[in-house]
Amino acid sequence: MGWDIEAGKGNGILRIEVKGSSLPLGDAVLELTSNELAKMNEHRDSFRLSVVSVQGAPPKTSLVMFGWSRDAAAWIGDGGMYTLNIREVVSARVEVLPGDKGRRFGQ
């Protein structure tokens, strides 16, 4: 699907992806799947990225919801206090296998 929650009212719908971090909101680094990123771009006007930060003991929870701003041409959260810096990366899945069942890099 590309998001966690759908919320609607009348004919409108919001597609909400929720991510969490144990770092303060200004320091949080989050991972989006390639599908989540594609849907985020495809549904800019109705997509929201909700970032939850939980820190400390006792825990303090903060939430910022990011939406696309046409004026700023950027993902903006909390009235402009935060923006998203999106950097696409290539990744790999690594498995730990017993014995000599693994393959060497490049084979």
Side-chain angles (χ1 to χ4, degrees), residues 29-48:
V29 177
L30 310 167
E31 300 288 333
L32 294 176
T33 67
S34 58
N35 186 50
E36 290 166 345
L37 181 59
K39 297 302 180 182
M40 186 175 177
N41 288 322
E42 179 182 342
H43 300 287
R44 279 188 173 163
D45 292 335
S46 63
F47 196 98
R48 300 295 181 268

Side-chain angles (χ1 to χ4, degrees), residues 36-106:
E36 290 166 345
L37 181 59
K39 297 302 180 182
M40 186 175 177
N41 288 322
E42 179 182 342
H43 300 287
R44 279 188 173 163
D45 292 335
S46 63
F47 196 98
R48 300 295 181 268
L49 179 63
S50 184
V51 179
V52 180
S53 172
V54 180
Q55 313 162 44
K60 179 184 175 202
T61 303
S62 303
L63 169 76
V64 174
M65 192 169 296
F66 291 86
W68 179 253
S69 167
R70 290 182 186 187
D71 294 337
W75 292 91
I76 303 294
D78 209 13
M81 287 189 61
Y82 299 99
T83 59
L84 295 179
N85 179 37
I86 299 173
R87 182 174 52 94
E88 292 188 52
V89 296
V90 176
S91 63
R93 176 158 291 151
V94 177
E95 295 178 79
V96 177
L97 302 174
D100 62 350
K101 293 182 180 179
R103 293 184 307 177
R104 295 179 189 267
F105 185 75

Side-chain angles (χ1 to χ4, degrees), residues 6-25:
E6 286 186 357
K9 184 175 183 181
N11 292 335
I13 187 170
L14 284 180
R15 296 160 174 91
I16 304 167
E17 176 61 26
V18 180
K19 296 293 181 183
S21 176
S22 60
L23 296 173
L25 287 169

